[in-house]
């Protein structure tokens, strides 16, 4: 059988690991802010589809972006006045607008809000089967000569691709490169994909939007993605630079058309972009409404705003409890009641520290004086405490009314003090005065106010408030620490000071 100490240590370690583990998961995988005041750059990207009337029914199909390379879509809006609309899901999500006939130019809108989160790399996928490119004899001969030259200069697929990009630059002097560009109207993208296919290198286009705040009328940009034999790599087809740019929002990871329009003419797809820096908590609330993560349905953000405010205060109580445990078990501070300092600290949060101390001392002093008078009446305990409760309420009411008449609005917060706890504190201090004398009352009263002040400072700390609200699982960690402290049997700091003379050498 394990001893109680070992069992407590195992339970405490489990609670601490679970609490910290959930917090780490929420920070690195769900994007929760670890520190207060963190912000997220949220991009609003609006796509505009415009076209003119054509013949017959009109149908416009737009491929919707997937959440790739760490991008998280927070919200989506569609505008399609006078059109039928549907979103379908097969190999990719597509928005479809339909109309039986079109008499005048039309514009359709799709707007999304997204921000970038870890991880920021593209997920690896299966390598598709290579398709033999359809080329004329001259095109095929030119490509084979170019491939042969580049293979002699390269050491692997990565270096081959970078050399090929430079060889197909619009300023190239290579005769085969110039010939191939001329046959595809100077479009190096198609030439790159066809040449790589002929060189038996799996490659595909990566379409997306270059992020530039305030940019309008932007069109899709294309990156090149190849498989180097082990993993997929991204290249800029203009410069040959490897890696996914930070300012690139991926819209589609395939060679299929992003927009298909039938029954209309002169179709065009343009983008407008705006960047906003939003508090991380606002972004999390948007994620919760979007239902992206099931775990968010069990977070504080899933509650109504009014209830969130209640739990914001409740989740700070374990922090105050840890302060009380440390001060009583490790430091050895005496308090009037075990958890009375926590309740006083909660009141301090509403009244502010200095004002709360003044109100508390005034009420307790007045209550002790009245309690001393009641003790001479030889009342029973229940009647005596009830009388003290009524007197405390009367004193609080009188103080509130007086402060209101004097224009001291802050003193009105006296109502936040717990009446029953105040009455019981007065009763306990009065009994202690009679049994132990005023010195012990001063010691326990001062200790209670000291612990309450430290608990207030801990609870009002911005970081503590942020962590307990966003990571309520940390209460398990606090519970584990309190369980460990509950098995402490060593000397307290006050006892070390008390017996300091024993350590002096004769």
């Amino acid at each position: 059988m394990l001893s109680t100490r070992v069992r407590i240590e195992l339970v405490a370690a489990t609670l601490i690991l679970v609490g910290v583990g959930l917090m780490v998961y929420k920070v690195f995988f769900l994007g929760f802010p670890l520190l207060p005041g963190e912000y997220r750059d949220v991009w609003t990207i609006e796509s505009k589809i415009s076209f003119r009337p054509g013949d017959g029914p009109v149908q416009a199909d737009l491929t919707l972006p997937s959440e790739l390379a760490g991008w998280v879509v927070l919200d989506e809006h569609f505008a399609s006045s006078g059109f039928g609309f549907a979103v379908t899901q097969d190999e990719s999500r597509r928005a479809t607008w339909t109309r039986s006939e079109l008499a005048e130019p039309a514009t359709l809108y799709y707007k999304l809000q997204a921000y970038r989160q870890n991880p920021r790399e593209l997920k690896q996928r299966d390598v598709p089967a290579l398709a033999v490119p359809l080329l004329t004899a001259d095109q095929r001969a030119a490509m084979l000569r170019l491939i042969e030259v580049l293979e002699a200069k390269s050491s692997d697929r990565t270096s081959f691709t970078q050399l090929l990009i430079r060889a197909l630059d619009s300023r190239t002097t290579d005769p085969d490169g110039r010939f191939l560009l001329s046959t595809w109207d100077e479009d190096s993208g198609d030439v790159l994909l066809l040449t790589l296919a002929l060189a038996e290198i799996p490659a595909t286009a990566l379409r997306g939007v270059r992020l530039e705040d305030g940019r309008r009328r932007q069109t899709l940009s294309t990156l090149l993605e190849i498989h180097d034999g082990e993993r997929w790599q991204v290249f800029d087809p203009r410069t040959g630079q490897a890696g996914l740019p930070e300012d690139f929002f991926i819209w589609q990871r395939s060679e299929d058309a992003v927009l298909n329009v039938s029954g209309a003419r002169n179709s065009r797809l343009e983008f407008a972009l705006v960047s906003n820096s939003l508090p991380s908590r606002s972004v999390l609330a948007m994620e919760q409404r979007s239902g992206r993560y099931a775990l968010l349905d069990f977070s504080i953000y899933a509650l109504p705003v009014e209830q969130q405010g209640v739990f914001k205060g409740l989740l700070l109580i374990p922090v105050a409890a840890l302060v009380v445990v440390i001060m009583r078990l490790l430091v050895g501070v005496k308090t009037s009641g075990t958890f009375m300092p926590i309740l006083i600290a909660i009141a301090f949060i509403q009244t502010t520290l200095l004002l709360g101390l003044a109100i508390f001392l005034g009420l307790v002093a007045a209550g002790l004086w009245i309690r001393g008078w009641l003790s001479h009446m030889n009342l029973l305990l229940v009647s005596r405490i009830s009388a003290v409760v009524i007197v405390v309420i009367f004193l609080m009411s009188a103080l509130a009314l007086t402060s209101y008449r004097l224009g001291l609005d802050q003193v009105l917060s006296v109502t936040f003090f717990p009446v029953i706890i105040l009455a019981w504190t007065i009763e306990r201090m009065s009994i202690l005065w009679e049994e132990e004398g005023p010195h012990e009352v001063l010691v326990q009263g001062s200790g209670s106010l000291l612990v309450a002040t430290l608990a207030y400072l801990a609870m009002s700390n911005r970081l503590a408030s942020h962590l307990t609200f966003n990571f309520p699982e940390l209460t398990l960690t606090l519970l584990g620490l309190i369980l460990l402290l509950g098995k402490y049997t060593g000397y307290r700091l006050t006892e070390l000071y008390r017996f300091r003379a024993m350590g002096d050498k004769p």
Side-chain angles (χ1 to χ4, degrees):
M1 288 291 293
L2 297 175
S3 65
T4 56
R5 174 178 290 276
V6 174
R7 280 184 285 176
I8 284 293
E9 290 174 350
L10 290 175
V11 171
T14 301
L15 292 172
I16 293 172
L17 289 175
V18 169
V20 174
L22 286 173
M23 183 191 73
V24 171
Y25 173 78
K26 291 168 74 172
V27 168
F28 291 99
F29 292 93
L30 301 187
F32 275 62
L34 181 60
L35 299 175
E38 287 188 15
Y39 282 76
R40 298 279 191 267
D41 289 329
V42 178
W43 285 88
T44 300
I45 304 174
E46 182 182 72
S47 61
K48 182 176 72 172
I49 305 169
S50 57
F51 45 81
R52 295 183 175 276
D55 297 328
V58 178
Q59 178 172 327
D61 295 306
L62 175 67
T63 300
L64 302 180
S66 302
E67 296 181 343
L68 297 172
W71 283 99
V72 177
V73 177
L74 296 172
D75 201 7
E76 294 179 312
H77 295 281
F78 301 88
S80 53
S81 177
F83 282 77
F85 174 75
V87 175
T88 58
Q89 175 78 55
D90 40 36
E91 293 183 359
S92 61
R93 291 177 66 235
R94 299 186 71 85
T96 302
W97 290 270
T98 55
R99 190 166 178 173
S100 59
E101 59 180 358
L102 187 66
E104 57 186 18
T107 303
L108 308 174
Y109 292 93
Y110 165 65
K111 182 172 69 174
L112 64 89
Q113 287 183 298
Y115 79 99
R116 199 166 194 177
Q117 161 191 105
N118 292 327
R120 298 194 172 194
E121 292 185 359
L122 281 169
K123 293 182 179 179
Q124 297 301 308
R125 55 176 178 165
D126 296 335
V127 180
L130 289 171
V132 179
L134 298 176
L135 304 168
T136 64
D138 291 340
Q139 293 169 344
R140 188 179 188 85
M143 281 188 184
L144 289 175
R145 287 194 299 269
L146 183 60
I147 291 172
E148 183 179 1
V149 172
L150 297 181
E151 285 181 342
K153 297 180 180 180
S154 61
S155 58
D156 53 20
R157 291 180 175 180
T158 299
S159 57
F160 176 88
T161 303
Q162 292 174 322
L163 290 172
L164 177 62
I165 291 173
R166 285 197 287 270
L168 295 177
D169 185 87
S170 59
R171 297 163 297 180
T172 183
T173 57
D174 184 277
D176 290 320
R178 292 302 310 163
F179 169 74
L180 293 173
L181 287 175
S182 65
T183 58
W184 272 278
D185 298 326
E186 302 294 328
D187 185 358
S188 62
D190 290 339
V191 183
L192 281 171
L193 291 173
L194 292 172
T195 306
L196 289 169
L198 191 61
E200 298 184 351
I201 298 176
T204 186
L206 196 65
R207 293 185 174 89
V209 181
R210 297 274 181 179
L211 299 176
E212 185 178 346
D213 189 21
R215 180 72 182 272
R216 301 173 59 191
R217 299 183 179 278
Q218 182 169 332
T219 57
L220 285 172
S221 299
T222 303
L223 298 179
L224 180 66
E225 189 177 15
I226 71 152
H227 195 271
D228 63 4
E230 297 181 356
R231 56 192 300 275
W232 289 94
Q233 290 195 46
V234 178
F235 295 89
D236 190 326
R238 300 173 302 176
T239 63
Q241 183 176 357
L244 184 65
E246 289 289 326
D247 63 344
F248 193 84
F249 176 80
I250 300 174
W251 198 278
Q252 185 186 55
R253 196 183 185 187
S254 70
E255 298 178 30
D256 298 332
V258 174
L259 175 66
N260 287 307
V261 179
S262 60
R265 56 188 178 87
N266 297 335
S267 61
R268 184 172 178 83
L269 176 62
E270 296 177 330
F271 299 88
L273 303 95
V274 175
S275 175
N276 292 299
S277 186
L278 299 181
S280 296
R281 290 181 58 179
S282 300
V283 175
L284 284 174
M286 295 171 68
E287 284 194 87
Q288 192 277 324
R289 289 195 297 270
S290 68
R292 180 173 181 265
Y293 293 117
L295 184 59
L296 290 177
D297 294 335
F298 298 94
S299 71
I300 302 299
Y301 290 99
L303 296 174
V305 176
E306 183 178 355
Q307 297 301 318
Q308 289 185 30
V310 173
F311 274 94
K312 187 175 183 179
L314 287 178
L315 290 170
L316 286 170
I317 294 178
V319 177
L322 179 62
V323 173
V324 171
V325 170
I326 291 174
M327 295 302 294
R328 294 202 59 171
L329 299 183
L330 298 184
V331 181
V333 176
K334 293 183 179 180
T335 62
S336 179
T338 306
F339 293 108
M340 190 265 287
I342 296 178
L343 299 174
I344 298 176
I346 294 174
F348 285 170
I349 290 177
Q350 305 297 332
T351 63
T352 69
L353 180 59
L354 295 179
L355 180 61
L357 283 171
I359 294 174
F360 179 81
L361 290 174
L363 289 175
V364 171
L368 282 174
W369 179 77
I370 295 173
R371 167 61 178 77
W373 179 80
L374 290 174
S375 65
H376 296 292
M377 301 294 104
N378 295 323
L379 297 177
L380 296 175
L381 176 64
V382 175
S383 298
R384 190 168 63 240
I385 293 179
S386 299
V388 173
V389 168
I390 295 173
V391 169
V392 169
I393 293 175
F394 176 78
L395 291 174
M396 293 172 66
S397 303
L399 183 60
L401 288 172
T402 304
S403 63
Y404 176 72
R405 291 297 181 182
L406 296 176
L408 303 175
D409 295 338
Q410 283 186 323
V411 184
L412 294 176
S413 57
V414 66
T415 54
F416 288 105
F417 276 95
V419 177
I420 303 299
I421 296 302
L422 277 174
W424 187 248
T425 300
I426 293 170
E427 178 66 20
R428 283 177 57 90
M429 287 186 174
S430 179
I431 295 175
L432 189 65
W433 189 299
E434 295 172 355
E435 295 179 351
E436 302 291 340
H439 178 266
E440 191 64 23
V441 172
L442 183 61
V443 170
Q444 292 194 15
S446 301
S448 297
L449 289 181
L450 173 62
V451 176
T453 301
L454 294 176
Y456 159 79
L457 294 175
M459 295 171 70
S460 60
N461 182 269
R462 190 181 180 194
L463 179 60
S465 176
H466 170 80
L467 291 177
T468 54
F469 184 80
N470 288 278
F471 308 101
E473 58 274 4
L474 286 180
T475 55
L476 297 177
T477 301
L478 296 176
L479 175 58
L481 293 174
I482 290 173
L483 291 178
L484 289 177
L485 292 173
K487 299 298 290 184
Y488 178 74
T489 56
Y491 287 105
R492 297 175 174 87
L493 292 180
T494 53
E495 293 173 339
L496 292 176
Y497 177 78
R498 178 183 174 188
F499 300 117
R500 66 189 185 281
M502 297 178 63
D504 295 339
K505 294 182 179 180

